[in-house]
Amino acid sequence: MRRVLPLLLLLLPGLVQAQPGLSVVTSAPLAGGGEEYTVSLQVLILMTLLTLLPAAFIMMTSFTRIIIVLALLRQSLGTAQTPSNQILIGLAFFLTLFIMSPVFTQAYEEGVKPYMDEQITSTEALQRAAVPFRRFMLAQTRENDLELFARLAGIKQLNAPEDTPFTVLMPAFITSELKTAFQIGFLIMIPFLIIDLVVSSVLMSMGMVMLSPLIISLPFKIMLFVLVDGWGLLIGTLAQSFVT
């Protein structure tokens, strides 16, 4: 596949020249100003933007907070690679879809669907689809983070949070998500840390200094996590921690 793609890219100019009826870069002026590109060029731009989709999925959704909390939980339990990275990523992905489903639905109804029905232009569709994501990100972002990146961007004053540019909102949102994720992870690690301290103290008092406390504390931590329905509590808390 890697060898075929460069070949196709080399043959693409010849294919375009062989079909003079194919308009790739033409555009039409709009009544209110601006330009509307042809569908073929829109598809080309869309395929290019798909390469940025994973980064956008992380930067604009609840994925970051969820995956960090799950990773800190696994480290607190001391279970090494159990659950595996694939399981944690899959759980974080589908939980993100569950949390973000109202945002995705609203973006589709207000932006994508009217564009597919040829009721609005692509530029207007993009602006409409961005509104639900902006509202979601603003609800999770701390004001001091917004002020920090606005100051770094040279914006002296914002009239309202809704006027924040995406170039400022996205780094502020991801910074706030990192802070929140580590705060939740800290609260999760406290009970497991207490178990490790108790087991370590008992082993030291019995003179078993050569025995790793992790071997003894691991079953107790798993038992505690299972008895309190840890997975249900954790996932429910993560889902409810997002202000909508």
Side-chain angles (χ1 to χ4, degrees):
M1 187 64 181
R2 295 179 178 177
R3 298 179 179 179
V4 175
L5 288 177
L7 180 61
L8 292 177
L9 293 176
L10 291 175
L11 294 177
L12 184 59
L15 294 176
V16 174
Q17 293 177 1
Q19 300 178 8
L22 181 62
S23 56
V24 179
V25 294
T26 59
S27 61
L30 298 177
E35 295 181 345
E36 174 70 8
Y37 296 103
T38 59
V39 176
S40 57
L41 185 57
Q42 292 174 3
V43 173
L44 178 62
I45 296 175
L46 178 61
M47 296 300 294
T48 303
L49 292 178
L50 285 178
T51 60
L52 304 176
L53 185 60
F57 186 80
I58 294 175
M59 292 285 290
M60 301 175 62
T61 64
S62 58
F63 184 84
T64 301
R65 183 188 305 184
I66 297 172
I67 193 63
I68 291 178
V69 171
L70 293 178
L72 291 176
L73 170 65
R74 184 176 65 179
Q75 186 175 359
S76 302
L77 285 172
T79 54
Q81 295 299 320
T82 305
S84 63
N85 292 332
Q86 291 82 356
I87 294 177
L88 292 185
I89 294 175
L91 177 59
F93 175 76
F94 286 106
L95 186 57
T96 299
L97 293 181
F98 172 77
I99 295 172
M100 299 293 298
S101 58
V103 179
F104 292 151
T105 302
Q106 187 177 1
Y108 175 79
E109 294 292 336
E110 296 182 0
V112 179
K113 190 174 184 299
Y115 174 71
M116 295 178 64
D117 295 337
E118 299 183 354
Q119 298 176 357
I120 58 176
T121 63
S122 59
T123 304
E124 187 177 357
L126 183 60
Q127 293 174 351
R128 290 188 180 185
V131 172
F133 287 96
R134 178 187 294 273
R135 188 181 302 117
F136 171 82
M137 295 165 66
L138 283 173
Q140 322 303 324
T141 306
R142 295 175 171 85
E143 293 184 2
N144 57 346
D145 292 328
L146 278 177
E147 295 174 356
L148 169 63
F149 285 96
R151 185 172 66 253
L152 293 176
I155 301 176
K156 297 181 179 179
Q157 185 178 3
L158 293 173
N159 297 327
E162 292 76 12
D163 299 333
T164 306
F166 257 101
T167 54
V168 174
L169 178 58
M170 292 184 69
F173 169 73
I174 200 68
T175 303
S176 295
E177 287 295 282
L178 290 173
K179 293 179 181 179
T180 305
F182 277 95
Q183 289 175 355
I184 298 175
F186 171 75
L187 296 177
I188 292 174
M189 296 178 71
I190 290 178
F192 299 115
L193 178 61
I194 294 175
I195 293 177
D196 287 333
L197 290 175
V198 171
V199 171
S200 179
S201 299
V202 171
L203 292 178
M204 289 290 292
S205 63
M206 296 176 63
M208 298 180 178
V209 294
M210 301 301 294
L211 182 61
S212 175
L214 181 60
I215 300 177
I216 307 300
S217 63
L218 179 59
F220 290 100
K221 290 191 287 188
I222 294 178
M223 181 182 65
L224 172 66
F225 191 70
V226 172
L227 289 178
V228 300
D229 190 19
W231 287 113
L233 290 175
L234 179 62
I235 293 176
T237 301
L238 283 174
Q240 295 175 3
S241 65
F242 290 94
V243 181
T244 56

